[in-house]
Amino acid sequence: MRGSRLPAGGENVLQTIRGKRAAAEASGIKLIDLSIGEPKGPALLSAREAAAVAVMSEDEAMHTYQYNASPGVPNFAQRFVQVHVKRDFQEGDVDYLTMPGIKPMLGLVPLACGCADQNLSVATTTSPGYPIPADWCGYHPYATNYAISLSPGNEFRFTPDQIEEGTGLVMMNYPHNPSGQVATESWLRQICEYCSENDIRLFNDAAYIILSHGPDSLCLADVAPDYPDLSWLEAFTAAKLIGNGTGWHVGAMVGSPDFVGDFKEVKGKTDTGFVAPMAAGVVAAFEGDRESIDLVREMYRSRLGLLAKILTDRGMHLALDPAAGFFTLWLAPDRAFGQKVESAEHFNFMMIEETGMVGVHFPPYVRYAVCADVAAMSDEIGAAFDKAQVGYD
Ligand SMILES: Cc1ncc(COP(=O)(O)O)c(C=O)c1O
C-alpha cells in the first residue's frame, strides 16, 4: 500500500518554518525573512575562478571519487584544518580526513562510536540548538540522545556535571548555533579533562569558527591534543568560509587517530567524498584571498550589532551577546500585540502573521539571522517591532 511509513509530526523546526514561511507568502504577507541562516549570493570570486579552472583540468584525479582523501587537491584536509586551528600538531597526535560538508556526516559520528550494534548514550547541544545531531540519533535505534540544557544561566556553555553518567559521546557545536557562544580555552580544558577521565568521546561541529569575532574563540583541536587519552573529533566546513559555500559541500575533520580511524571506516563504506574542483576553489580563497574572508566576517559582525540595537531599542531581551556567527538569540517576550504570549512558537507565528517578520523558535527563545541585508531592511524591522509592543513580566 502507498502512504507514509514515518510517524506523523516528525519534521524539525527548520522544516516547520519553511512551511510556515511559504504559507504566509502565499497568503500575500510581505516577509521580512530573518529565519534560515544561509549565506546569500555567490561564493567569493577567488573561489569561483579557481574552481572553474579546476573543472577544466585534464587531470583524472580532479574528476574521480576522492573518498576520505583528496587526490585532486593534495593535503586538502591538513591545509584546511590549519586555517582554523592556532596550534601545530606533533607527528602522530592527530589524523585527518576530507568530507562533503558537516550535515551528512553528523549521523556517522554515533555510528563511528559503535551504535549500529550497541547502546550509545549521546549528549547534544541541541536545547536550544541546531537539531541535526538529535535528529540523526533518532534514526539510530541503539543511540539515545539527551540535550544538555543551555541558557543564559550557564552562558550557553555546559558544565561537566550536566553530562549524565553512562554517556558515550558528546556532540557539541561551538561556536554555538543559535546563541553565538564560543568555546574558550579554560572551558574546553574542563570538558576535555572530564571526557578523558570518563572515557567519553568528544565531537565538535565547528561550522561557524571562521566567523568568530575575537581570539578567545578556540577550536576543540586547539586544546584536545594535550589530553593523550581523550578520543576526539572536530569538523570544519567551507559553507560559511567562502561567502556562500553552502552548495559546495567541502569540509575536513581532524581528531585523535582512534576516532578518525573509526570514522574513516564508516564513512569509507557510505560516502564517496567531496567534489575536488570545488575544494580547489576553497583552497584558492583561504590561501590567496584572506581579505575577502575577513570582509565577510566583518559584514556579519556589523549586521549583528545593528539588529541587536534595533530590537533592544524596542524592548527585546538578547539571550546572549553573540561572539561569533550570524545569529541573534532572543528571549521570547511575555506580551506582544496586546496579548499574552503563550510560547516562543506563538510569538514567532504572531510576528509572521502580523508583521511578516520570520525567525526560528527554539523555546523559550526566538532566533533572528543576519544573512539578509539588515541595514536595507532596518526600517521594516523597526516598524514590525514598533507594532509588536513587546513586554516581559
Ligand atoms: C551548527 C551547524 N552545523 C553544520 C551545518 C551545516 O554544515 P554543512 O553545510 O557543512 O553541511 C550548519 C548549517 O546550517 C549548522 O548550523
Side-chain angles (χ1 to χ4, degrees), residues 298-318:
E298 278 315 305
M299 174 187 77
Y300 290 129
R301 187 181 176 162
S302 99
R303 286 182 186 171
L304 286 173
L306 177 60
L307 184 67
K309 177 155 175 31
I310 297 172
L311 269 60
T312 40
D313 282 354
R314 286 160 180 83
M316 287 288 287
H317 292 182
L318 252 187

Side-chain angles (χ1 to χ4, degrees), residues 101-104 130 173 177 205 207-208 237 239-240:
I102 296 175
K103 188 174 182 180
Y130 182 64
N173 160 228
N177 169 7
D205 167 354
Y208 296 94
T237 174
K240 284 103 190 174

Side-chain angles (χ1 to χ4, degrees), residues 36 61 63 99 157 176 180 198 269 274 291 296 384:
I36 310 300
H63 301 275
M99 47 135 190
R157 275 191 294 241
H176 181 233
N198 291 278
K269 286 182 191 165
F274 65 24
E291 219 168 82
V296 171

